[in-house]
Amino acid sequence: MTKPFVTILDDEPEIRTLLSDVLQEAGFETMSFGRASAFEAALKQRTPDVCLVDLSLPDTDGLTLVHRLALEQGAVVIIISGRAQVQDRVTGLELGADDYISKPFDPAEVVARIRARLRGARPATRASNTARFSGWIAHFESYTLEDEDGTQTPFSHAEGEVLRLFLDAPKRLISRAQMQSSLGGAASESFDRAMDVRISRLRTKLREDPKNPQLIKTIYGAGYIFLGEVSWI
């Protein structure tokens, strides 16, 4: 079985060494970088399963990089940062990160979080990663939505997790607790807000009327229901 491939981007050598050692012992393949330029060059050669990204980098803005990774890479993006303020966590999740771990951290928790995110990212057993619904086609291998005219709109890995959750359970109530359990996030105000943002962005990309959405309905106090007819092709 192929080992999951994890890249580590952090300007602190001690952190890179610690994470590499712990993850390799846990059965992961790793590659670490101290600068974003080297990290992004490596991404052109091979796509990782998980990117661990520090926000305080010497040669780029970490949040901008996280947003770009979320849109362009099929990898799970986990922020590991010394910025522990709630707003930093919320902003990172809103920009598309799948999880946020504050420094100092327990290495065992990092391993557990990665495994949880990989379980959430693993597609359900089916012949296709493509779903058709309400005039749209969702391509989960390329992370794009295609409309009836063939126009394609990219979505992030984090947005794709939420969309897949809806498409796997159409016309069924999905509660916040179910989202938290399925997506591997920690129950918190920042997780709830991140879910709201991801759903709002999905509605925008699906050209929903924000005042009267027809596909993703909010059931106040309970959760969400996806009302489209779904077929996997």
Side-chain angles (χ1 to χ4, degrees), residues 24-216:
Q24 288 172 16
E25 289 177 6
F28 296 93
E29 180 184 354
T30 68
M31 187 175 291
S32 61
F33 306 88
R35 300 182 69 86
S37 55
F39 169 74
E40 293 190 274
L43 291 182
K44 297 177 182 178
Q45 305 300 318
R46 183 180 179 187
T47 299
D49 297 295
V50 179
C51 297
L52 301 181
V53 181
D54 184 21
L55 295 183
S56 300
L57 300 169
D59 58 340
T60 195
D61 174 65
L63 287 172
T64 300
L65 176 61
V66 165
H67 187 51
R68 190 160 64 249
L69 288 173
L71 290 177
E72 297 177 0
Q73 296 291 324
V76 172
V77 180
I78 299 178
I79 294 171
I80 296 186
S81 177
R83 302 184 194 176
Q85 291 85 356
V86 171
Q87 187 56 49
D88 287 320
R89 299 173 65 89
V90 169
T91 300
L93 293 169
E94 288 180 344
L95 288 175
D98 296 276
D99 206 346
Y100 194 114
I101 300 172
S102 297
K103 296 178 181 179
F105 54 81
D106 183 337
E109 180 186 2
V110 176
V111 173
R113 295 274 197 102
I114 290 174
R115 286 176 172 160
R117 300 310 308 182
L118 287 175
R119 285 196 298 271
R122 200 170 293 144
T125 302
R126 59 171 66 90
S128 174
N129 266 336
T130 304
R132 188 188 300 275
F133 61 94
S134 306
W136 292 92
I137 301 176
H139 302 279
F140 285 96
E141 290 184 348
S142 59
Y143 291 87
T144 55
L145 282 166
E146 181 181 347
D147 67 12
E148 293 176 307
D149 296 326
T151 302
Q152 296 196 346
T153 302
F155 56 84
S156 71
H157 180 276
E159 291 163 353
E161 282 190 322
V162 177
L163 180 60
R164 184 185 288 277
L165 194 62
F166 286 135
L167 297 183
D168 278 338
K171 301 182 181 179
R172 289 165 48 190
L173 176 69
I174 300 177
S175 68
R176 294 277 185 158
Q178 288 172 310
M179 284 187 167
Q180 185 271 327
S181 176
S182 297
L183 302 180
S188 65
E189 181 181 347
S190 60
F191 176 84
D192 287 344
R193 182 170 172 183
M195 288 302 101
D196 290 339
V197 170
R198 291 173 195 178
I199 290 168
S200 175
R201 288 180 174 171
L202 282 174
R203 284 172 170 158
T204 298
K205 291 175 181 181
L206 292 169
R207 301 170 193 159
E208 293 254 74
D209 178 354
K211 296 181 179 179
N212 186 30
Q214 297 301 304
L215 280 175
I216 305 173

